[in-house]
């Protein structure tokens, strides 16, 4: 683990952020951590995926700023259930499965570059986070959404390993895919997420970097809990 060190502001963390690229293990680790601490799990990527789905359902051109703005003003995204069995609700519909389709991920990366979308989602994320005791997972939760979070982690892993994890995740759902294509798409999406002008994927200066290439999710969670224990 590396990093400039975490700032601890209060006794008992209210917000923990976990950022990083696809396949770094963020979701598994964040859910496990939320369960261990009995915190809420905030999946910010699911929110961008829900917007992407909304764009598709309403036949909106993602480059049309006025239409995007209107969608963001009216869209209703919420979460139900606990960290282990969380449902994503879009306008009353359970879209938990649908938002995991690879095309939705591609569109999510595209719409997440748009100012209107980011402003609307960050506002909603902060509203959810205001309740405290939350593990927030995403790309910019430590840099933009919750810059004052008590604990910030940036999870990464070697591209080969990340692609393997993504591939396993997708093929469990019986999607017929080629490993090479999964890797190419993952690298393309990382580049898009890292090079965008608004809230690019990068570690917060005060985040602790964890390389999960050779660690199990349980080991990563233990590392995080150790860091938190030390304060
Ligand atoms: O973590 P994920 O694969 O579910 O995220 C889908 C896309 O959403 C990702 O390509 C970039 C975007 N995203 C973002 O811009 N900011 C976040 N905090 C989380 C996700």
């Amino acid at each position: 683990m590396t990093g400039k060190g975490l700032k601890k502001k209060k006794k008992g963390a209210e917000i923990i952020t976990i950022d990083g690229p696809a396949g770094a293990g963020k979701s598994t680790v964040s859910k496990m951590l939320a369960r261990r601490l009995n915190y809420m799990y905030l999946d910010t990527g699911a929110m961008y995926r829900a917007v992407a789905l909304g764009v598709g359902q309403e036949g909106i051109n993602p480059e049309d700023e006025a239409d995007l703005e209107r969608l963001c003003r009216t869209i209703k995204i919420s979460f139900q259930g606990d960290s282990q069995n969380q449902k994503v609700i879009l306008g009353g519909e359970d879209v938990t499965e649908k938002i995991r389709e690879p095309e939705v991920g591609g569109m999510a990366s595209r719409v997440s570059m748009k100012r209107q979308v980011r402003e609307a989602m960050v506002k909603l994320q902060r509203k959810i986070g205001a309740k405290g005791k939350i593990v927030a997972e995403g790309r910019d939760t430590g840099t933009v959404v919750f810059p004052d979070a008590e604990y910030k982690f940036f999870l990464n892993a070697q591209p080969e390993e990340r692609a393997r994890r993504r591939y396993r995740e997708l093929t469990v759902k019986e999607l017929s895919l080629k490993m090479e294509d999964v890797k190419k798409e993952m690298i393309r999406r990382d580049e898009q997420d890292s090079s965008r002008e608004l809230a690019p994927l990068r570690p917060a200066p005060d985040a602790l970097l964890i390389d999960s290439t050779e660690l199990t999710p349980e080991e990563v969670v233990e590392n995080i809990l150790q860091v938190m224990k030390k304060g």
Side-chain angles (χ1 to χ4, degrees):
M1 275 191 287
T2 52
K4 286 189 184 151
L6 295 157
K7 47 182 175 182
K8 182 152 197 294
K9 295 198 172 140
K10 308 178 199 164
K11 217 165 183 271
E14 293 294 323
I15 296 182
I16 300 164
T17 62
I18 303 195
D19 292 312
K26 297 185 305 284
S27 300
T28 313
V29 163
S30 302
K31 284 181 202 165
M32 275 185 183
L33 185 66
R35 185 183 195 175
R36 289 281 293 269
L37 297 168
N38 201 18
Y39 276 24
M40 186 195 162
Y41 163 56
L42 175 60
D43 181 357
T44 62
M47 297 166 73
Y48 290 98
R49 286 171 179 268
V51 173
L53 199 63
V55 163
Q57 282 176 349
E58 299 207 12
I60 288 172
N61 172 359
E63 300 308 321
D64 185 325
E65 310 240 318
D67 273 1
L68 258 190
E69 183 130 26
R70 187 183 46 74
L71 175 73
C72 289
R73 261 203 314 273
T74 51
I75 201 163
K76 297 253 175 305
I77 302 168
S78 59
F79 295 99
Q80 279 177 7
D82 64 14
S83 57
Q84 303 315 296
N85 191 19
Q86 196 168 62
K87 299 254 174 271
V88 184
I89 312 294
L90 173 63
E93 185 195 352
D94 180 351
V95 295
T96 314
E97 297 293 322
K98 268 192 204 164
I99 59 166
R100 297 296 154 198
E101 298 288 329
E103 316 81 72
V104 179
M107 180 58 88
S109 180
R110 201 166 149 197
V111 297
S112 69
M113 290 194 275
K114 304 292 181 190
R115 180 188 52 80
Q116 297 84 346
V117 176
R118 297 214 76 83
E119 281 177 6
M121 291 307 108
V122 168
K123 196 169 162 198
L124 184 54
Q125 288 153 17
R126 287 185 180 148
K127 193 171 161 200
I128 298 172
K131 294 175 197 142
K133 299 212 180 302
I134 201 159
V135 178
E137 178 221 317
R139 305 288 190 287
D140 64 340
T141 63
T143 48
V144 174
V145 189
F146 302 116
D148 295 328
E150 284 81 0
Y151 293 103
K152 299 181 184 179
F153 299 91
F154 191 91
L155 214 53
N156 210 340
Q158 293 299 321
E160 286 296 337
E161 177 58 20
R162 294 195 291 112
R164 255 196 302 277
R165 291 176 188 171
R166 281 290 294 153
Y167 181 75
R168 269 202 305 266
E169 207 176 279
L170 292 168
T171 48
V172 160
K173 293 177 195 155
E174 291 175 39
L175 297 166
S176 53
L177 292 163
K178 287 203 196 100
M179 176 71 173
E180 244 341 275
D181 293 340
V182 170
K183 190 174 169 198
K184 256 192 240 151
E185 170 57 19
M186 191 194 77
I187 290 172
R188 195 192 61 76
R189 193 142 71 87
D190 285 351
E191 269 164 16
Q192 191 160 294
D193 295 343
S194 309
S195 61
R196 68 185 177 210
E197 204 178 314
L198 299 172
L201 165 68
R202 67 171 58 129
D206 52 349
L208 203 68
L209 311 185
I210 302 179
D211 184 336
S212 73
T213 309
E214 305 210 342
L215 298 175
T216 63
E218 288 81 4
E219 286 169 331
V220 176
V221 170
E222 282 310 321
N223 280 344
I224 290 176
L225 290 170
Q226 284 301 321
V227 169
M228 292 178 66
K229 217 189 240 170
K230 284 184 198 143

